[in-house]
Amino acid sequence: MSDRFLRACRREPVGTTPVWFMRQAGRYMPEYRAIREKYSLLEICRHPELAAEVTLQPIRALGVDAAILFADILLPAIPLGVGLEFAKGEGPVLLNPIRNLDDVKNLRPVNPESDLGYVMEAIRLLRGTLSGVPLIGFCGAPFTVASYLIEGGSSREFLKTKTMMYSAPEVWRALMDKLSGVLRDYLVAQIRAGAQAVQIFDSWVGALSPQDYENFVLPYSQMVLQAAQKENVPVIHFGTNTSTLLPLMKRAGGDVIGLDWRIPLDDGWKILGDNVAVQGNLDPAVLFAPRSEIKKRVGDILQRADGRSGHIFNLGHGILQNTPVENVKAVVDMVHEFSFSNDGRAAECIETRDVA
Ligand code: CP3
């Protein structure tokens, strides 16, 4: 089994930089679209054999170094009683959004094993079949999940979310208390079912100032991250638009911090310090560029990492719809074929693949 992903998470030396992609299973893949013709997104998530099959599709097609469980950060909304639908072309719809303290109090208690057991079952199934690569479990971070529960769906300005924070902080804190407990239990259950690493997606946290992050978000993320770290698996803490939040995200926790393309990888790593690993940070839109441009930009990221232990190659955010599959595969090969010469300087994509 290739353990370069887990080794890099622990900042141990690897001969070859590991690579995987957020949203590596999805509509850009013909195999995925074929399954989606027959089943809805939620049907796939709720049937462990289907979720396992979709998780394996990018492993077979791309040769990535890690599998990410096929699920969605909004699944806990179902047992919480908020109601979840994926409207065609519109993204997620939360049917009973949270507006006041009564709504928070009416959230149902969640037992991950009985209420989201299909997720744990998919993990167990996958651990029985995946022999080549480690399996990543995940959940949304309290802020990002709260934003969906409050807004009722995707949002640009997060106005309802921020209005609750600023005008009714007691409601915000009650919601975050509740959510962070649920997300902690859910993540720990995934680890105990067999997830070998976990990622916390705080996709939209970059909408906040550092002061608001520290005051309204950090303690809750920290609670989830620390509980996962106690289970002794690598924990990846991911967000976008976080250049000014990186020191606080590091304080909140995680063995690996996600970087997006808005900050050069070496600058982001410098802010974070050497005692943490980093994941990133190719702009997903680069996958639509000519092969020569992709190669230049993949090379630039690897040169900025400079062969230091603790870099996991990824995009700065998820793969976009309509991304050419062959370009995704080409990036995997470029990362695997890139090597560093003895003086630590990056050498141009020499054909040296180490045998895992
Ligand atoms: O990475 C993977 O391959 C694992 C699967 C995965 C999905 N969602 C499946 C999915 C993961 C890790 C997620 C996380 C997720 N879900 C996030 C955080 C990651 C990020 O991109 O920031 C968020 C914000 C969500 C909420 C969500 N789910 C949205 C906003 C949407 C609609 C987006 C769209 O493209 O329409 C979804 C739907 C969703 N979840 C899809 C997939 C593959 C879309 C494809 C489909 O409908 O089949």
Side-chain angles (χ1 to χ4, degrees):
M1 135 146 175
S2 165
D3 65 350
R4 57 171 87 103
F5 165 74
L6 293 173
R7 291 180 61 84
C9 289
R10 296 189 293 253
R11 285 179 293 117
E12 293 165 5
V14 287
T16 301
T17 303
V19 51
W20 69 280
F21 303 100
M22 290 177 275
R23 293 284 183 98
Q24 63 190 14
R27 282 172 297 198
Y28 76 104
M29 286 191 118
E31 306 89 305
Y32 177 81
R33 288 198 302 272
I35 291 198
R36 278 286 274 116
E37 270 173 28
K38 292 190 227 142
Y39 306 97
S40 71
L41 179 66
L42 287 178
E43 281 171 333
I44 300 174
C45 294
R46 284 172 143 157
H47 290 89
E49 350 43 82
L50 291 175
E53 166 57 23
V54 171
T55 301
L56 293 172
Q57 288 176 339
I59 308 305
R60 296 189 199 109
L62 305 173
V64 284
D65 296 300
I68 179 157
L69 171 73
F70 192 84
D72 195 90
I73 61 162
L74 297 177
L75 293 178
I78 303 169
L80 279 167
V82 180
L84 174 66
E85 273 177 12
F86 285 91
K88 227 184 152 95
E90 281 176 41
V93 180
L94 289 302
L95 302 171
N96 308 296
I98 308 291
R99 294 287 144 78
N100 53 45
L101 200 55
D102 279 341
D103 295 338
V104 177
K105 286 183 178 153
N106 287 334
L107 290 171
R108 293 198 211 113
V110 175
N111 174 336
E113 277 295 343
S114 53
D115 296 326
L116 294 160
Y118 51 86
V119 172
M120 273 38 87
E121 195 48 42
I123 292 174
R124 290 184 199 105
L125 259 179
L126 279 161
R127 283 304 307 279
T129 45
L130 263 176
S131 52
V133 295
L135 179 64
I136 304 170
F138 70 91
C139 70
F143 171 82
T144 290
V145 176
S147 79
Y148 282 98
L149 300 190
I150 297 165
E151 305 285 339
S154 300
S155 168
R156 223 175 239 277
E157 313 289 348
F158 300 95
L159 191 54
K160 294 189 179 84
T161 306
K162 290 184 182 185
T163 300
M164 183 184 288
M165 245 183 219
Y166 303 151
S167 309
E170 69 292 353
V171 181
W172 172 259
R173 293 203 184 277
L175 176 59
M176 290 294 271
D177 264 332
K178 171 92 201 180
L179 268 184
S180 45
V182 168
L183 295 169
R184 172 201 58 204
D185 294 349
Y186 178 44
L187 203 57
V188 168
Q190 291 183 42
I191 297 167
R192 293 185 181 166
Q196 290 148 292
V198 288
Q199 175 157 326
I200 297 202
F201 284 90
D202 215 349
S203 306
W204 311 130
V205 76
L208 296 178
S209 69
Q211 301 90 306
D212 284 340
Y213 180 84
E214 185 172 19
N215 185 13
F216 292 109
V217 175
L218 190 150
Y220 306 99
S221 286
Q222 189 169 48
M223 199 260 260
V224 180
L225 289 156
Q226 285 182 351
Q229 284 183 293
K230 274 213 191 98
E231 300 291 311
N232 287 319
V233 299
V235 177
I236 307 167
H237 188 183
F238 166 80
T240 69
N241 247 316
T242 52
S243 302
T244 62
L245 302 180
L246 291 172
L248 293 168
M249 285 178 68
K250 182 183 176 192
R251 203 209 293 169
D255 304 285
V256 184
I257 307 288
L259 296 173
D260 79 7
W261 61 91
R262 295 172 182 89
I263 188 161
L265 186 106
D266 45 344
D267 293 352
W269 210 342
K270 201 166 166 192
I271 292 171
L272 290 165
D274 282 338
N275 58 351
V276 71
V278 298
Q279 175 171 281
N281 67 343
L282 189 70
D283 183 341
V286 169
L287 291 172
F288 293 78
R291 205 58 68 83
S292 56
E293 187 62 32
I294 298 177
K295 190 167 174 182
K296 224 167 75 189
R297 286 162 182 264
V298 168
D300 179 66
I301 290 169
L302 290 165
Q303 296 208 28
R304 288 177 190 278
D306 203 19
R308 277 177 286 178
S309 299
H311 174 221
I312 297 134
F313 195 100
N314 204 313
L315 305 178
H317 204 171
I319 293 185
L320 300 166
Q321 223 187 125
N322 304 323
T323 298
V325 181
E326 59 280 10
N327 287 353
V328 183
K329 170 83 177 96
V331 169
V332 174
D333 294 341
M334 286 174 200
V335 174
H336 285 165
E337 285 164 15
F338 197 90
S339 74
F340 291 88
S341 61
N342 290 335
D343 64 0
R345 301 307 311 158
E348 226 336 71
C349 296
I350 308 168
E351 292 280 335
T352 46
R353 266 206 191 105
D354 69 346
V355 183

